[in-house]
Amino acid sequence: MNVLGIIASGVAALLITVALAKGARRAALRPHAPDGSGGRAPRAAALRRTGGATVVLGVGAAVGGALWLGAADDSAGSVAGLLAGAGIVAALGLVHDLKPFRAALRLPVQTAAAVLVVCLAGLSPAAGVLAVLWIILVTNAFALLDHADGLLTTVGLVTAAGLLACAALGGDPALTLLPATLVAGLAGFLLHNWHPARLRLGAFGAQFTGFALAASGALIQEAAPSGRAAWAALPVLATVALADTALVLISRRRAARSLLRDTDDHIAHRLRRVRVTVPGTAVLLALWAAVSVTTATLVYAELLHPAFLLLPPAGSVAAVFVLLRIPAYTPHRTAPSRTAARRTAAPTTGAAIPSAAPAPRVAGPAPGKGAPSGTARTAAGHPTVPPPPTGRSAAGVAAERR
């Protein structure tokens, strides 16, 4: 595939994505009738959550048009398999956006889509099994990054740029088609996904992006020349996504929580707890991904020694251990012990001893005239009746007077 065809496909993906995202944003911001509970309109919320459809349609239309024009040459089967597998996973994500279901139900569909990509690419059985496992792992790792404004979009854009560079240096230029259009599509969508986000990728766009990156990396690695360290360089491109997944799994395992139930324990959530802003979090993770992607690309191009590939994973491991020290879960409230409860309830369970409050002095006759000095009087000048002695009830006093 020539350079002109790649550029034309990228421009087409950018224009289609920007046009669709602008229309989806207007529809999402249009006032709708709220639901019965007084919350936001469900239609507007669904439009914001399924904004990733603009990326899917933009990239899919550009790649499909290039395949229809015969721009992929002899690798049309591999590119068509990539697009078909990503489309299957994206359709599953759309169903999840409209009616959420358990994350474990995604694995069979993701496995089938990965097997389709491997079969159409003609990989050997051993390489095919490894590729399927890699695609499933990286797809879910990237999809988990869609929990903050602009996070998955920026990290995915940087990763797709690295895959584009590696594919251009590899032995099959046709594999640059999907990464090139994905870079353009994510760049156009970032205009509406940056904080404060008007559109979200949702499971629809996140699953598509993760699968496209994972499957492209697997096929680029298989088509790489034998003299290059592609087996070690290309996995480094997914360092940020894998670090976030490792952090989540370790945290939930330590806290004895469900591994599949999503909570606020990702990298972005912990950075927010140390007062890093939402745009700052996206920039930090994009720079983290850029370091890993640049190192892997330079090693893939044989401009750096393969030993440099140890630096991004080592730094990521250190970052995970540091982030583990930031609390992610609210401690459970424990019931007070019986001893503490007794100590707390002791002053209120016993018999209360009334204390005689001093009666206010009111105007009346002078002391020594009609009443002894110091006797409390009412407003009419009559002496007040003192309260009964402590420990004697009113009924007892009445009986004594009889």
Side-chain angles (χ1 to χ4, degrees), residues 7 27 60 87 117 140 145 150 162 165 168 193 202 217 228 266 303 312 387:
I7 295 176
V117 172
N140 291 282
L145 291 177
N193 187 235
R228 291 176 179 168
H266 295 267
L303 298 177

Side-chain angles (χ1 to χ4, degrees), residues 132-207:
V132 168
L133 296 177
W134 172 257
I135 291 172
I136 295 173
L137 174 63
V138 176
T139 298
N140 291 282
F142 273 100
L144 288 177
L145 291 177
D146 188 36
H147 55 264
D149 294 348
L151 185 57
L152 175 58
T153 309
T154 53
V155 175
L157 194 155
V158 173
T159 306
L163 289 172
L164 175 61
C166 292
L169 296 171
D172 196 349
L175 294 177
T176 60
L177 179 59
L178 187 57
T181 54
L182 192 60
V183 168
L186 292 177
F189 185 74
L190 186 60
L191 301 175
H192 307 276
N193 187 235
W194 192 253
H195 182 75
R198 302 301 182 184
L199 296 175
R200 299 290 301 272
L201 282 172
F204 192 11
Q207 292 286 326

Side-chain angles (χ1 to χ4, degrees), residues 183-245:
V183 168
L186 292 177
F189 185 74
L190 186 60
L191 301 175
H192 307 276
N193 187 235
W194 192 253
H195 182 75
R198 302 301 182 184
L199 296 175
R200 299 290 301 272
L201 282 172
F204 192 11
Q207 292 286 326
F208 177 84
T209 303
F211 189 91
L213 294 172
S216 297
L219 296 188
I220 292 172
Q221 179 174 352
E222 182 65 20
S226 58
R228 291 176 179 168
W231 62 272
L234 290 173
V236 178
L237 298 176
T239 300
V240 174
L242 295 177
D244 182 73
T245 302

Side-chain angles (χ1 to χ4, degrees), residues 43-327:
R43 180 184 172 188
L47 284 172
R48 293 189 182 96
R49 189 172 60 251
T50 58
T54 60
V55 178
V56 176
L57 295 176
V59 174
V63 175
L67 290 175
W68 182 68
L69 294 175
D73 300 331
D74 296 335
S75 299
S78 300
V79 178
L82 284 174
L83 185 60
I88 293 173
V89 174
L92 178 68
L94 177 61
V95 175
H96 179 73
D97 283 331
L98 299 177
K99 188 176 181 180
F101 53 87
R102 294 182 179 180
L105 299 178
R106 303 176 190 174
L107 294 179
V109 179
Q110 293 174 353
T111 303
V115 170
L116 176 64
V117 172
V118 168
C119 292
L120 292 179
L123 272 65
S124 62
V129 172
L130 294 177
V132 168
L133 296 177
W134 172 257
I135 291 172
I136 295 173
L137 174 63
V138 176
T139 298
N140 291 282
F142 273 100
L144 288 177
L145 291 177
D146 188 36
H147 55 264
D149 294 348
L151 185 57
L152 175 58
T153 309
T154 53
V155 175
L157 194 155
V158 173
T159 306
L163 289 172
L164 175 61
C166 292
L169 296 171
D172 196 349
L175 294 177
T176 60
L177 179 59
L178 187 57
T181 54
L182 192 60
V183 168
L186 292 177
F189 185 74
L190 186 60
L191 301 175
H192 307 276
N193 187 235
W194 192 253
H195 182 75
R198 302 301 182 184
L199 296 175
R200 299 290 301 272
L201 282 172
F204 192 11
Q207 292 286 326
F208 177 84
T209 303
F211 189 91
L213 294 172
S216 297
L219 296 188
I220 292 172
Q221 179 174 352
E222 182 65 20
S226 58
R228 291 176 179 168
W231 62 272
L234 290 173
V236 178
L237 298 176
T239 300
V240 174
L242 295 177
D244 182 73
T245 302
L247 175 66
V248 168
L249 294 179
I250 295 173
S251 300
R252 295 176 186 176
R253 182 66 177 176
R254 285 184 174 183
R257 292 175 175 260
S258 175
L259 299 179
L260 299 180
R261 181 175 298 176
D262 198 12
T263 54
D264 297 341
D265 51 3
H266 295 267
I267 294 177
H269 298 138
R270 296 171 190 266
L271 292 178
R272 290 289 293 142
R273 287 183 173 86
V274 293
R275 299 186 178 183
V276 179
T277 62
V278 176
T281 300
V283 171
L284 284 177
L285 266 70
L287 292 176
W288 184 355
V291 172
S292 303
V293 167
T294 302
T295 304
T297 304
L298 293 178
V299 171
Y300 185 86
E302 299 180 341
L303 298 177
L304 284 180
H305 193 273
F308 283 93
L309 293 175
L310 299 176
L311 296 179
S316 300
V317 171
V320 168
F321 277 105
V322 172
L323 291 170
L324 283 173
R325 297 181 176 273
I326 302 176

